Amino acid sequence: NAGVTQTPKFQVLKTGQSMTLQCAQDMNHEYMSWYRQDPGMGLRLIHYSVGAGITDQGEVPNGYNVSRSTTEDFPLRLLSAAPSQTSVYFCASSYSRVRGAFFGQGTRLTVV
Amino acid sequence: AQTVTQSQPEMSVQEAETVTLSCTYDTSESDYYLFWYKQPPSRQMILVIRQEAYKQQNATENRFSVNFQKAAKSFSLKISDSQLGDAAMYFCAYRSGKTSGSRLTFGEGTQLTVNP
């Protein structure tokens, strides 16, 4: 069972570059989310989706875009990378509020 | 907006001993869910235990149990018979029962060290 798959696992970007973090789940979950993890701050919600074609902003959405064209995929786009976006990024999916969320392995992004 | 606070950045425990990690939260809602996640050095986020706010009984999963005090808005995690593999960062998380989606609000995390 693949669960939630994130690619790449590591990435170094130059300031101003753009890139897309990929996230795919094979559990037919409706709900998907992107979080960033910074030291001493826990995980903070960037964007989330409640189904294909429906997305909304989380706590820290600036500088990021998302789309949800299929149930399986939920890519996160960095439009113009900044050093402040250096972080570990997690994609998560769930089908129920009760069950919590399943997380991908994370992407460590460094912007220089 | 809901907030989750973990006031212990670091904790340590001797192998086979018991340790309790603290978590408090702030919410005006009555319907919500609480979770503890474990993050070992591999970075993977692993769900340890969950608690529904409407349930008075504290959740238990093998060596892991919670002390859920709804009135005090406290949700502590007790790890019994600690093992070396329990060493990890632990996050407390809140999820509203009203809002849709998989939005979790996390605390800052507690780094647990297990000493042999």
Side-chain angles (χ1 to χ4, degrees):
Chain A
N1 293 333
V4 180
T5 302
Q6 285 183 239
T7 55
K9 290 186 171 58
F10 300 93
Q11 183 70 49
V12 178
L13 285 180
K14 293 182 179 179
T15 298
Q17 286 185 318
S18 63
M19 78 160 295
T20 299
L21 305 184
Q22 302 291 343
C23 176
Q25 53 93 6
D26 61 357
M27 298 172 283
N28 202 33
H29 288 173
E30 284 186 84
Y31 306 145
M32 297 186 75
S33 308
W34 277 102
Y35 296 85
R36 60 177 287 173
Q37 181 180 10
D38 301 293
M41 302 185 75
L43 282 73
R44 293 180 293 167
L45 182 66
I46 305 172
H47 285 285
Y48 67 98
S49 169
V50 299
I54 306 170
T55 64
D56 206 346
Q57 296 180 350
E59 183 183 353
V60 287
N62 292 342
Y64 308 95
N65 272 357
V66 293
S67 60
R68 184 99 179 268
S69 57
T70 66
T71 299
E72 294 78 18
D73 300 301
F74 190 44
L76 178 72
R77 298 182 186 85
L78 280 70
L79 308 173
S80 177
S84 61
Q85 294 178 305
T86 293
S87 187
V88 178
Y89 292 84
F90 286 96
C91 178
S93 75
S94 68
Y95 66 91
S96 164
R97 296 188 189 100
V98 177
R99 295 291 175 181
F102 294 83
F103 284 81
Q105 309 98 312
T107 297
R108 180 174 293 279
L109 175 68
T110 302
V111 183
V112 297
Chain B
Q2 296 82 21
T3 58
V4 177
T5 302
Q6 294 177 248
S7 59
Q8 306 155 316
E10 298 176 348
M11 291 283 285
S12 64
V13 63
Q14 292 296 125
E15 197 175 2
E17 297 293 309
T18 296
V19 64
T20 298
L21 308 185
S22 300
C23 173
T24 59
Y25 58 95
D26 186 24
T27 184
S28 58
E29 299 176 337
S30 58
D31 180 21
Y32 53 88
Y33 305 88
L34 297 165
F35 306 89
W36 278 98
Y37 282 88
K38 171 185 178 181
Q39 186 182 44
S42 67
R43 205 167 66 198
Q44 182 69 46
M45 293 287 287
I46 303 165
L47 179 63
V48 174
I49 198 166
R50 66 178 185 270
Q51 174 79 43
E52 294 90 336
Y54 63 85
K55 288 188 177 179
Q56 292 186 339
Q57 186 173 5
N58 289 325
T60 299
E61 289 286 346
N62 300 314
R63 297 182 295 107
F64 298 87
S65 62
V66 299
N67 184 5
F68 175 48
Q69 302 290 326
K70 191 171 184 178
K73 296 179 183 175
S74 171
F75 182 60
S76 60
L77 174 69
K78 185 171 82 171
I79 306 174
S80 303
D81 186 24
S82 297
Q83 301 175 359
L84 295 177
D86 295 333
M89 180 73 84
Y90 286 82
F91 291 99
C92 178
Y94 172 101
R95 184 174 189 171
S96 170
K98 290 183 179 180
T99 56
S100 60
S102 55
R103 288 177 284 175
L104 292 164
T105 300
F106 286 87
E108 306 89 341
T110 297
Q111 183 68 52
L112 178 66
T113 300
V114 181
N115 300 310

